């Protein structure tokens, strides 16, 4: 399955659907092959039924601005680019309010797949 992206933009934005205990949410995410783990904003977790206040904030995460501590949660499912991962662990934190996305799709989601980015046509495939 092939998806379009804008090769002239600074980041690749994709659609992601997450399922939790009380519902689902479809949101925009940044595809980041430099991120080892996937990240989701705490507000999205709350929306789909996770008790964000009960999560233990003990996972060190290296960001462009230094190291932060974040929580982890296991989503019922996480779907993007025609692929679904069940019981998918993600890092949870408050993404900056100016962020155009509510999630980051990292290498943990992409592993065991073949990702092709064609910047001449703006096409992305994940098989």
């Amino acid at each position: 399955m092939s998806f379009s992206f804008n090769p002239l933009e600074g980041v690749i934005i994709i659609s992601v659907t997450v399922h939790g205990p009380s519902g689902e949410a479809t949101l925009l995410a940044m595809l980041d092959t430099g991120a080892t783990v996937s990240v989701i904003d705490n507000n999205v977790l709350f929306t789909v039924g996770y008790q964000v206040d009960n999560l233990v904030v003990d996972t060190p995460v290296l960001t462009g601005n230094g190291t932060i501590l974040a929580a982890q949660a296991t989503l019922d499912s996480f779907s993007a680019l025609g692929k679904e991962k069940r019981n998918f662990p993600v890092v949870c934190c408050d993404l900056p309010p100016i962020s155009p996305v509510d999630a980051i799709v990292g290498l943990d989601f992409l592993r065991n797949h073949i990702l092709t980015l064609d910047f001449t046509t703006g096409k992305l495939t994940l098989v």
Side-chain angles (χ1 to χ4, degrees):
M1 184 177 271
S2 196
F3 300 87
S4 296
F5 71 96
N6 185 343
L8 302 176
E9 289 290 323
V11 296
I12 297 173
I13 305 291
I14 61 172
S15 178
V16 169
T17 301
V18 297
H19 288 86
S22 65
E24 74 176 50
T26 299
L27 47 130
L28 295 178
M30 176 175 60
L31 180 65
D32 188 350
T33 60
T36 56
V37 295
S38 295
V39 178
I40 192 161
D41 188 81
N42 284 328
N43 291 323
V44 174
L45 284 177
F46 181 77
T47 299
V48 297
Y50 290 92
Q51 300 300 317
V52 176
D53 293 339
N54 295 339
L55 297 175
V56 178
V57 179
D58 64 352
T59 304
V61 178
L62 181 63
T63 72
N65 293 326
T67 302
I68 64 167
L69 287 178
Q72 283 190 322
T74 301
L75 300 175
D76 292 350
S77 73
F78 186 96
S79 302
L81 303 171
K83 304 296 180 191
E84 179 184 31
K85 306 280 184 172
R86 294 194 175 273
N87 300 313
F88 187 65
V90 293
V91 169
C92 322
C93 64
D94 292 321
L95 293 175
I98 63 167
S99 174
V101 298
D102 291 313
I104 298 169
V105 177
L107 292 178
D108 55 347
F109 185 82
L110 301 172
R111 277 194 187 91
N112 301 317
H113 296 288
I114 299 169
L115 172 67
T116 304
L117 297 171
D118 185 337
F119 283 87
T120 62
T121 63
K123 294 292 181 194
L124 177 158
T125 56
L126 187 67
V127 291

